[in-house]
Structure formats: structure tokens, C-alpha cells
Amino acid sequence: MILQSPREVSKILAYNRWANAKMLEPVGGVSPEEWDREVGGSFGSLHGTLVHLYGAEWVWLERLRGNSPGSLPAARDLPTVEALRETWSALDGELALLAGGLTAERLTSTLTYANFQGETWTYTFADILFDLVNHSTYHRGQVATHLRQLAKTPVSTDYVRFLDTGLAEPERAPEEIARLFAYNRWANARMLGAVSEVSDEQYGRAVGGSFSTLRDTLAHLYGADWVWLERFGGRSPRALPSGQQAPTAEVLREKWETVQDGWAALSGGLEPERMRRSLEYQNLKGDALSYRTGEVLVHLVNHSTYHRGQVTTLMRQLGASPASTEYLMMLDEEA
């Protein structure tokens, strides 16, 4: 279980509200034609992707209340950006109220619900709430890809940007971080397994987005894992690896495996005192920065989830089949 205290839940839901609001800022500038333009990916259009993102948060809130809706809202139910924004704002308020009433005991209790096919599933409240935010982060990455493909500029929703807002930081236990990195490694392995099936031409084909190609998007995701591991080793690189350093999916996978071994060793050996200390480093521009260690580690996995969402969009646009990396799926495999 990754979330172990009501304070952590309150903070991660506050992050989710902040990130959704930032995400929607540039969406307000799209034309009606761009809003519904077919751009490929999991849900066809920017409109379809955003309604899915909102709908997943809505359905989880309903399940947490003891209900089991039979379907997600449809795009026609939220036809405009403004209608979506107003409805989402109300949902954010309801999620905040729910978080405010949570206790440690409630977080560890289980919830059983029926999915859209009528099958029953059971998870802890804490795992459901983590999955809710992780799923939203994943699809915010897809929204950013669609915006760039529509010649718009998305706003950063990185967790470290949220930390700059000054909200008090919760205590994070080493076992939570170890669990978080176990999920990250599992998700990356599933993603790379699907990527191994694409052709070399698909791997390097320009399709637009934040990094243009599947290769460069994956190289950025790997590079962020690498650069943060370097920072924890006391070094501050001035550049991320380029796509040319991962000319094939297999070369990338081999490089990534070494970095993930490093993260497994680090996350498995953390002490509570180190979690509270700040990590001081210089960013790629040479600016000196400092964040609490536990929060940096949460940021890293959140960043990976975001870009795994982009990888999925690009794979679908290339005609390839991505792999699901839902946190609850990992739990099902472990059961």
C-alpha cells in the first residue's frame, strides 16, 4: 500500500486538483474544430481524452460512496470545455470533502464494487485513491501530446512544480517509496515489452508531441530516471541522454535495466531520517534547487506515469498495441 496516512491522501488529491486546473488552462484556447478533431490515440480527440480523464475520477468517487455505475460519462454529456471545467470543479470539491473525512483505519479498509461488466473487485481505499491520481497523471500526459499536435503549448504539471506552491509535506515511510518504485519498474517493463514489438521505422517515425518520436519520448523517460539517480549520487548532469543514445528499443531496455537496478537498491535501503532530509542539486540550467527526498521520489514516479501515457498515445497513432500499466493491475497479478 503506497498511501498510508490521511495527510498523504489530502496532499496527493490537492496535487491532482492543481494539475487538472493547470492542464485545462491551454485547453480553453482550442477552437471547436480542434476540440473534436480526430488525432488518434486511446480516445480519438482531445475532447474524448479529457472526458475519459474526468469520468474515471467520477466513477471512482461513486464507487467510494458505495455505488457501481454501469458506464463512464460520454463526450456528448460534456460538450464544451466550459461545461467540463464547471463539472470537474464540483467533482474536485467532493473528492476534497471525502479526503477530509478519511481516517487511517478507513484507508486500510477494503471496498468491493462491480465494474462495467458486472464483475466484482476488492481493493483498499488507499490503493483506489492512489490509482485514481496515477491514472489521471497518465492521461494528463496524453492531453499534453494532443495539445502539441494541435500546435498548442501545454502547461507543466510536474509534482515538483506543485511543491513550489508551499503545501506542507507529509511524512513518507521508506516502505511506501519501495512499493512505489516496485510499481514503476513493473510498469516500465510492461511498456517496454509492448515497445519491443514495434518496427525500427515506427520507433523512429516523427508523429508529433513533446518529443516528436516514440524513440525520443522513451529516451526522455529513461533520461529522467537516469538524471535523478545521478543527483542522488551527488552529481548534477547538465543534459539528458538523447534519442541517438538509444537507437533501438533493445539498446534502450538494456540501459534502463541498469538504472532501475540502481533505483531498486536506493529505494530498498532508505532510512526514515534520509526521507526527511533535503536533496540539494543543480538542474540542467545550473540553478541550485532543494526538495525533501521523499517528495523527489514521489515526483520521479509521477513523471514516469505521465510520459508512459504519452508513449501509449504515440503507439496507438503508429498502429501498435500498448500495454496497460494500471497500478491495480499489478495488485491483481500479485494476488
Side-chain angles (χ1 to χ4, degrees):
M1 196 169 73
I2 291 170
L3 301 174
Q4 297 192 2
S5 74
R7 189 176 179 189
E8 287 176 273
V9 171
S10 292
K11 183 165 187 179
I12 199 169
L13 287 176
Y15 161 69
N16 200 53
R17 289 193 300 275
W18 172 87
N20 284 341
K22 300 295 285 185
M23 171 191 68
L24 287 172
E25 286 177 10
V27 174
V30 304
S31 69
E33 185 274 330
E34 291 168 328
W35 176 236
D36 280 307
R37 182 188 300 174
E38 177 64 41
V39 288
S42 301
F43 305 99
S45 65
L46 177 63
H47 182 188
T49 302
L50 282 162
V51 170
H52 174 81
L53 205 168
Y54 160 79
E57 293 188 5
W58 169 82
V59 81
W60 277 121
L61 178 61
E62 286 298 301
R63 289 167 177 170
L64 289 166
R65 287 170 164 169
N67 305 316
S68 291
S71 64
L72 293 173
R76 63 179 176 275
D77 299 323
L78 296 162
T80 65
V81 177
E82 193 52 41
L84 179 66
R85 194 193 308 273
E86 290 179 4
T87 306
W88 213 330
S89 178
L91 176 67
D92 280 338
E94 294 175 54
L95 282 168
L97 282 175
L98 179 141
L102 286 174
T103 62
E105 293 73 22
R106 185 81 182 276
L107 282 176
T108 59
S109 67
T110 58
L111 171 73
T112 298
Y113 66 93
N115 67 10
F116 299 148
Q117 290 74 44
E119 303 163 336
T120 57
W121 298 85
T122 301
Y123 303 102
T124 67
F125 273 67
D127 284 333
I128 286 171
L129 288 165
F130 174 76
D131 185 76
L132 183 156
V133 176
N134 191 64
H135 177 271
S136 292
T137 294
Y138 180 90
H139 287 294
R140 282 192 291 268
Q142 297 186 334
V143 169
T145 293
H146 289 327
L147 283 168
R148 289 198 182 277
Q149 292 174 338
L150 292 168
K152 308 298 179 185
T153 303
V155 176
S156 173
T157 56
D158 273 349
Y159 186 71
V160 290
R161 299 283 176 267
F162 170 69
L163 295 180
D164 293 337
T165 64
L167 194 66
E169 298 174 357
E171 292 289 329
R172 297 196 183 276
E175 58 268 24
E176 298 171 51
I177 297 300
R179 182 69 172 158
L180 196 61
F181 274 81
Y183 161 68
N184 201 49
R185 189 167 197 167
W186 172 88
N188 283 342
R190 285 187 61 81
M191 174 189 69
L192 290 171
V195 170
S196 69
E197 300 298 320
V198 306
S199 68
D200 290 343
E201 187 277 330
Q202 289 171 314
Y203 184 67
R205 186 194 304 172
V207 286
S210 300
F211 305 100
S212 184
T213 65
L214 178 61
R215 179 200 65 194
D216 290 350
T217 303
L218 286 160
H220 175 80
L221 209 171
Y222 156 76
D225 275 5
W226 170 81
V227 80
W228 279 111
L229 189 60
E230 288 291 295
R231 288 165 179 169
F232 272 90
R235 298 170 291 278
S236 291
R238 288 291 184 270
L240 296 176
S242 68
Q244 284 72 23
Q245 293 174 263
T248 68
E250 181 57 25
V251 169
L252 178 68
R253 187 195 63 76
E254 291 175 359
K255 287 176 176 287
W256 215 328
E257 194 68 21
T258 300
V259 169
Q260 293 194 127
D261 285 344
W263 280 117
L266 188 150
S267 63
L270 288 170
E271 298 292 335
E273 173 56 30
R274 188 175 186 188
M275 298 284 289
R276 292 188 286 269
R277 292 204 307 264
S278 292
L279 174 70
E280 297 182 356
Y281 66 96
Q282 293 180 349
N283 65 13
L284 301 181
K285 298 177 181 177
D287 302 324
L289 297 171
S290 176
Y291 294 103
R292 188 182 257 186
T293 293
E295 297 300 86
V296 168
L297 295 170
V298 170
H299 160 74
L300 191 149
V301 176
N302 189 71
H303 176 271
S304 294
T305 294
Y306 181 91
H307 288 294
R308 281 192 293 267
Q310 296 188 332
V311 168
T312 290
T313 291
L314 297 183
M315 288 187 70
R316 290 197 184 280
Q317 291 175 336
L318 289 165
S321 298
S324 174
T325 55
E326 290 277 359
Y327 173 66
L328 297 182
M329 178 177 285
M330 184 183 81
L331 299 186
D332 296 340
E333 288 187 1
E334 294 175 342

